[in-house]
Amino acid sequence: KEPGIGQGGPLNRAGSISTLDSLDFARYSDDGNRETDERVAVLEFELRKAKETIQALRANLTQAAESEVPMQERKNFKSSPEIQEPIRPLEKRALNFLVNEYLLKNNHKLSSITFSDENDDQDFELWDDVGLNIPKPPDLLQLYRSCGSCLSSPKETVDIAVGMEADDLLELSTTKEASQTIEQTQPTAVVQELEYQISLLNSEKQCLAEQIKKLQSDIEALKKKNHASVPVIPPSEKPGSDEVSLPDHVDNGQYLDIRGTDSVKGTTQQECVTNSIVINTNMDSTPPPAETQSTHYTKLKSQASQSKVPVQFDRPNRKLSPAFHQALLSFCRMSADSRLGSEVSRIADSEESVMLMLGRCLPHIVPNVLLAKREELIPLILCTACLHPEPKERDQLLHILFNLIKRPDDEQRQMILTGCVAFARHVGPTRVEAELLPQCWEQINHKYPERRLLVAESCGALAPYLPKEIRSSLVLSMLQQMLAEDKADMVREAVVKSLGIIMGYIDDPDKYSPGFELMLLALGDPSERVISAVHQVFIPAFAAWTTELGNLQSQLIPTLLSRIEKLLREGEHSLDEHKLHIFLSALQSLIPPLFAVVLQNAPFTSRAKLQGDIQPIEVTRFPRPASPLQDVATIIGSREQLAALLQLYDHQLEHEGTTGWESLLWVVNQLLPQLIEIVGRINVASTTCVHEFSRFFWRLCRTFGKIFTNTKVKPQFQEILRLSEENVDVTAGNGILTKATVPIYATGVLTCYNQEEDRKLLVGFLEDVMTMLSLSHAPLDSLKASFVELGANPAYHELLLTVLWYGVVHTSALVRCTAARMFELILRGMSEALIDKRVAPALITLSSGPEL
């Protein structure tokens, strides 16, 4: 069927819908006049709808007149221009709609969302929600350009259709003019609105008349051209009406319409074999200006004449009349009246028309696909969203993408994220900000955690493709809000990982302080998986940025140390061990980037070459990293580069010293003394704190290497502990030996390396401590803490028994008594073989002593 007048005027008329009460079946005959009768029926339907609209407007007018401002108040407003008439509800809703429409057209989607939330009593998707049959005025831009003029140009309101007769237009014009005369009797304000509507309809009528004349002349010219180019076939060879229409202008795209047998019917045999032009109007969008349509239509005709050759079909040698032939073909059950039938009957023959077709069909396809298989639609949705020319349709498609699956699992989320990244690479940062980010923002508080998880992961995946200003402002704020408010552990974990990615791309120095606070906030999370993500992703990325800013040694690490010192000062009696763990774990994760800074700022860095005899790095050279981002080789750049630097590093420490090596001197002269001082203030009875600091020093020494540990770390501890033979017999003892410094030095520094000389040094240290504490009658808490920490590892059981045997055979009864007390700390978890072989003889020896 040939469509009638499309939607384009403010009257919001229905399309060419033929209903039972608008069609006269008696008119349908084989006399060839069906097309004209259909046009008449459609126009009758339009006229009836226009009369119904006028009746509804009258009802509205009565209601508006009852609620109008009193005449005296209106006179006051007119006499006093400085007093503005208060806005009416109808005016407010109309302005709200126009403002929202302006924001959407100009890609201010976030502002539009906020504006919609603030006016949640209004539906911004439908103009009719403003008021019943209220004409829609031009948009804000046109109102501004016309400086308040009521009439818009014909180019802005034109609608295209064929099938209008001049008499029908005159009849419709007469009806509208009559309605104008009736409405003039109503109050002034409402009459002006009706006059505005009628003027729009009149201008539309004129444009339609002109456009119809032009299109009809184009059709006639094309028919004449086809008559001249197509040879005449004898009537006996062309009884059918098979034909293929030229591309018709639908939705600004090109289509091959296969409904020729139903939509175009000629009155002669030659008209049945000529090509026909069918002009359709997009019923879902406002048509472009008349000049643009005319130019585009001319272009289509020229393209069709050059590239489209009329398709000829074999026709049987029969003498059936065209009417009989068409009636016969009507028994083929084809449906072109429905939405789907309309899409099926049109075959797109250009890229743009394919995108337009997909944009129309996908919203109807998605709900009917099984949830478990919907990810198969992702390529179609993304491709269409990338290439579709209409912003509104693109927004709808991306909304479908993010709502494709109710609760997407890991694999489905990965597929959607892959598609989002592909979309971002294709369209660039501006469209990512304008089209993808609003979808994330809308679902930030979705009731399903899987959807919020998709938002958190999308922020990280899209970070490389966003404008840097958005990265460090809007996206950072979104993730910060989710980290602080979301109740799902898996969502906060994804937020932390995305924050780490953001830290890898941020370049605004002002964001250092918010980044530091985010790190502390995440480290204080109650979920272990969130804290693990902080150490694996966020802290390494944040440390890398801090290193570029030059703040790692000057600001980040000193700030954490000062927080620990403040915590120890405030909690002398009740230390907050949880906060201490947060700060110390952050310091521990900063050891690899700190060592990388030392290597990259060493005197020998410029001499490092990858060629030559480079010894490979031992597997046990560094502690196992929590993630690849904490691997020193990853931070440096490659394992080969790290091997070359390590070789020069060891040589420099062993033979040339640290002169001029500022980054390492900071570690030796500032970091280590401050850490040792903090260790001395820890309560030795706090097993957790002792263990945390022991692990910290163990990782520090293993990362910086054996030479550094032996020449820089151990001497500083030994100087404080002052273990020497002349101090052994001092009755007052050494106060530092009762502090946590002893167990942390023994378990964190002396156990870093497990060679024979290292074990001897550890044994000697424990023997000296046991002797000095026993002879000076000092508390044994530090020695007990050392034995408990070392006894947790079975590898040190024999070493501890060696130390205790030294005490068992000591000449002093005080030392032997101390050794007896230590046995009960290590027996738990010790193997039976060791107990039989080493413990039992020692206990027998103690029991036979004279002091018993």
Side-chain angles (χ1 to χ4, degrees):
K1 296 176 184 176
E2 188 171 330
I5 300 176
Q7 178 181 356
L11 196 58
N12 290 332
R13 296 168 296 166
S16 57
I17 303 174
S18 298
T19 58
L20 290 176
D21 61 340
S22 64
L23 296 178
D24 185 0
F25 289 100
R27 295 177 180 175
Y28 293 103
S29 62
D30 294 333
D31 57 0
N33 295 327
R34 178 177 178 180
E35 183 176 354
T36 304
D37 293 341
E38 281 187 355
R39 288 200 297 269
V40 172
V42 169
L43 289 175
E44 289 175 352
F45 175 76
E46 296 285 352
L47 180 60
R48 186 169 65 255
K49 295 297 291 183
K51 291 178 179 179
E52 292 174 359
T53 301
I54 292 175
Q55 294 297 329
L57 288 174
R58 286 175 176 171
N60 271 1
L61 181 135
T62 303
Q63 182 179 359
E66 293 175 353
S67 60
E68 273 213 311
V69 180
M71 188 60 65
Q72 184 60 38
E73 294 185 14
R74 188 178 300 276
K75 290 179 180 180
N76 293 339
F77 291 133
K78 291 182 179 180
S79 61
S80 303
E82 67 276 3
I83 303 176
Q84 187 176 5
E85 183 178 353
I87 188 170
R88 304 176 187 174
L90 177 64
E91 295 171 339
K92 179 181 179 181
R93 295 173 69 85
L95 288 175
N96 286 347
F97 187 92
L98 293 178
V99 170
N100 185 71
E101 181 184 51
Y102 168 79
L103 293 174
L104 287 176
K105 284 184 177 180
N106 292 273
N107 291 325
H108 301 299
K109 295 191 176 181
L110 294 177
S111 301
S112 173
I113 292 171
T114 305
F115 187 75
S116 301
D117 292 340
E118 293 176 349
N119 298 275
D120 55 358
D121 60 336
Q122 185 172 350
D123 182 7
F124 289 101
E125 298 292 333
L126 186 64
W127 167 256
D128 290 339
D129 184 66
V130 174
L132 182 63
N133 289 325
I134 301 299
K136 183 178 182 300
D139 57 26
L140 288 181
L141 180 60
Q142 295 300 326
L143 290 175
Y144 174 77
R145 288 177 175 172
S146 62
C147 297
S149 174
C150 293
L151 293 177
S152 58
S153 65
K155 293 181 181 180
E156 299 160 4
T157 59
V158 68
D159 195 357
I160 300 173
V162 297
M164 270 292 205
E165 298 293 341
D167 295 339
D168 298 329
L169 289 173
L170 181 59
E171 181 181 356
L172 185 60
S173 173
T174 305
T175 303
K176 294 170 183 172
E177 291 173 358
S179 65
Q180 180 180 5
T181 304
I182 295 173
E183 299 301 332
Q184 285 176 352
T185 62
Q186 307 296 334
T188 306
V190 181
V191 168
Q192 289 178 353
E193 293 179 358
L194 294 176
E195 288 175 350
Y196 163 70
Q197 177 191 2
I198 293 172
S199 63
L200 287 179
L201 292 175
N202 287 333
S203 62
E204 180 188 7
K205 179 193 69 175
Q206 296 173 2
C207 293
L208 285 173
E210 295 173 0
Q211 195 65 26
I212 290 171
K213 291 179 182 178
K214 185 169 184 176
L215 292 176
Q216 287 177 341
S217 63
D218 289 340
I219 292 172
E220 293 298 328
L222 186 59
K223 284 183 178 181
K224 292 179 182 179
K225 182 177 180 181
N226 288 333
H227 284 319
S229 60
V230 179
V232 178
I233 301 174
S236 61
E237 298 181 5
K238 51 185 177 63
S241 58
D242 299 335
E243 64 183 281
V244 178
S245 63
L246 288 175
D248 54 335
H249 180 52
V250 181
D251 290 337
N252 296 330
Q254 303 176 16
Y255 291 88
L256 295 177
D257 198 323
I258 63 174
R259 296 175 292 171
T261 57
D262 292 333
S263 60
V264 181
K265 177 175 176 66
T267 57
T268 66
Q269 293 281 8
Q270 288 188 354
E271 288 176 346
C272 293
V273 298
T274 57
N275 295 318
S276 63
I277 302 296
V278 182
I279 307 298
N280 294 330
T281 302
N282 182 5
M283 307 301 291
D284 300 324
S285 61
T286 304
E291 295 178 0
T292 306
Q293 287 199 349
S294 176
T295 305
H296 187 72
Y297 181 72
T298 306
K299 182 179 179 181
L300 283 180
K301 289 197 300 180
S302 63
Q303 290 177 350
S305 62
Q306 294 174 5
S307 61
K308 298 294 180 182
V309 179
V311 181
Q312 299 292 337
F313 298 98
D314 293 335
R315 291 177 173 80
N317 187 14
R318 299 291 301 276
K319 297 182 179 180
L320 299 175
S321 68
F324 183 86
H325 198 183
Q326 182 175 358
L328 183 63
L329 290 177
S330 66
F331 286 93
C332 297
R333 300 179 61 84
M334 295 185 294
S335 173
D337 296 334
S338 63
R339 178 197 62 79
L340 184 59
S342 175
E343 296 292 350
V344 171
S345 63
R346 296 182 297 180
I347 298 177
D349 65 343
S350 70
E351 294 180 0
E352 182 182 8
S353 58
V354 170
M355 290 301 105
L356 293 169
M357 180 270 295
L358 288 174
R360 291 190 304 270
C361 293
L362 279 173
H364 301 280
I365 295 172
V366 171
N368 298 296
V369 178
L370 292 175
L371 286 173
K373 296 295 182 182
R374 284 191 181 177
E375 64 265 25
E376 299 291 339
L377 294 172
I378 294 176
L380 278 177
I381 296 173
L382 283 169
C383 183
T384 309
C386 283
L387 303 177
H388 202 286
E390 296 295 331
K392 186 176 181 180
E393 294 296 328
R394 295 199 301 266
D395 181 73
Q396 181 184 10
L397 289 168
L398 291 175
H399 181 76
I400 291 174
L401 176 66
F402 274 81
N403 295 272
L404 189 63
I405 303 168
K406 188 176 182 180
R407 306 182 76 161
D409 57 26
D410 288 342
E411 185 177 351
Q412 291 167 336
R413 286 197 309 275
Q414 290 175 13
M415 198 61 60
I416 295 175
L417 289 177
T418 304
C420 289
V421 170
F423 178 88
R425 288 175 176 171
H426 183 83
V427 303
T430 303
R431 280 183 59 183
V432 173
E433 175 191 353
E435 298 177 15
L436 269 184
L437 271 190
Q439 304 299 333
C440 296
W441 183 262
E442 287 177 1
Q443 304 208 21
I444 195 172
N445 293 315
H446 199 278
K447 65 178 179 178
Y448 292 130
E450 292 85 357
R451 300 281 279 277
R452 303 196 302 273
L453 181 58
L454 177 61
V455 172
E457 292 173 339
S458 298
C459 290
L462 295 175
Y465 312 103
L466 288 168
K468 61 180 182 179
E469 299 83 4
I470 297 298
R471 239 187 338 245
S472 58
S473 57
L474 177 61
V475 178
L476 194 63
S477 300
M478 289 172 58
L479 293 174
Q480 184 176 3
Q481 176 183 342
M482 296 183 74
L483 178 62
E485 299 178 0
D486 205 289
K487 296 180 180 179
D489 294 351
M490 62 179 181
V491 176
R492 298 198 305 276
E493 179 187 10
V495 167
V496 168
K497 292 179 179 179
S498 293
L499 281 171
I501 297 174
I502 294 291
M503 290 300 158
Y505 285 89
I506 203 168
D507 56 3
D508 183 3
D510 294 337
K511 298 301 178 181
Y512 168 79
S513 295
F516 180 78
E517 295 302 326
L518 280 174
M519 180 185 72
L520 297 182
L521 176 64
L523 284 171
D525 195 276
S527 171
E528 286 296 330
R529 57 191 296 179
V530 175
I531 296 175
S532 177
V534 177
H535 292 293
Q536 291 177 2
V537 183
F538 184 86
I539 291 181
F542 185 62
W545 180 43
T546 308
T547 300
E548 293 182 26
L549 296 176
N551 293 341
L552 183 64
Q553 292 179 317
S554 63
Q555 195 165 350
L556 180 56
I557 295 178
T559 302
L560 289 173
L561 290 174
S562 63
R563 296 277 182 113
I564 293 176
E565 291 178 334
K566 181 181 179 182
L567 198 63
L568 292 174
R569 286 195 305 268
E570 295 175 351
E572 292 182 359
H573 301 289
S574 59
L575 178 64
D576 190 342
E577 295 184 357
H578 179 65
K579 285 188 177 180
L580 180 64
H581 168 73
I582 290 176
F583 299 140
L584 195 57
S585 63
L587 275 177
Q588 185 169 305
S589 294
L590 292 175
I591 292 175
L594 176 61
F595 184 62
V597 168
V598 170
L599 291 180
Q600 291 170 335
N601 293 276
F604 52 78
T605 303
S606 59
R607 305 199 307 267
K609 297 180 180 179
L610 298 180
Q611 295 81 13
D613 186 15
I614 301 177
Q615 297 180 356
I617 304 174
E618 296 180 3
V619 178
T620 59
R621 169 62 180 83
F622 292 100
R624 179 177 298 177
S627 75
L629 295 177
Q630 285 196 358
D631 190 346
V632 181
T634 303
I635 300 173
I636 293 294
S638 69
R639 200 160 184 83
E640 294 76 15
Q641 181 71 17
L642 177 60
L645 289 173
L646 283 178
Q647 193 169 338
L648 295 172
Y649 169 78
D650 291 337
H651 181 272
Q652 181 85 16
L653 284 178
E654 191 171 5
H655 300 289
E656 300 182 20
T658 59
T659 305
W661 198 346
E662 297 298 332
S663 55
L664 186 65
L665 288 174
W666 179 85
V667 176
V668 175
N669 298 330
Q670 296 187 42
L671 179 62
L672 281 176
Q674 193 171 0
L675 284 171
I676 294 174
E677 181 186 357
I678 290 173
V679 164
R681 297 164 58 185
I682 293 176
N683 184 3
V684 70
S686 175
T687 308
T688 304
C689 293
V690 170
H691 178 73
E692 292 282 346
F693 273 95
S694 296
R695 300 307 300 168
F696 173 80
F697 273 97
W698 187 88
R699 296 187 73 88
L700 178 70
C701 294
R702 287 301 299 263
T703 302
F704 277 78
K706 187 172 185 178
I707 298 175
F708 179 86
T709 303
N710 291 335
T711 60
K712 306 299 179 184
V713 181
K714 290 180 180 179
Q716 293 199 33
F717 272 98
Q718 291 168 357
E719 181 182 355
I720 291 176
L721 294 171
R722 290 192 292 276
L723 291 172
S724 58
E725 292 295 331
E726 54 269 20
N727 289 335
V728 171
D729 296 326
V730 175
T731 57
N734 189 348
I736 194 67
L737 293 180
T738 63
K739 303 294 185 183
T741 310
V742 170
I744 291 173
Y745 175 58
T747 61
V749 178
L750 297 181
T751 61
C752 286
Y753 300 95
N754 201 27
Q755 296 180 358
E756 187 62 28
E757 60 271 17
D758 301 311
R759 297 176 71 87
K760 287 182 178 180
L761 185 60
L762 177 58
V763 169
F765 173 73
L766 293 175
E767 290 174 352
D768 292 342
V769 170
M770 183 170 61
T771 302
M772 293 183 67
L773 292 178
S774 301
L775 296 179
S776 61
H777 300 277
L780 300 177
D781 293 338
S782 60
L783 185 63
K784 289 180 180 179
S786 302
F787 271 75
V788 170
E789 188 73 19
L790 290 171
N793 187 352
Y796 292 105
H797 284 175
E798 286 200 24
L799 184 145
L800 293 176
L801 289 174
T802 302
V803 175
L804 292 180
W805 184 255
Y806 166 82
V808 168
V809 299
H810 199 277
T811 57
S812 172
L814 294 174
V815 177
R816 293 198 301 271
C817 184
T818 299
R821 292 176 180 175
M822 294 299 111
F823 270 108
E824 60 180 296
L825 297 176
I826 64 171
L827 284 177
R828 188 178 304 162
M830 188 173 289
S831 66
E832 293 182 3
L834 277 178
I835 293 176
D836 293 340
K837 184 179 179 181
R838 302 286 302 272
V839 177
L843 293 178
I844 293 173
T845 303
L846 283 175
S847 64
S848 61
E851 293 81 5
L852 185 62

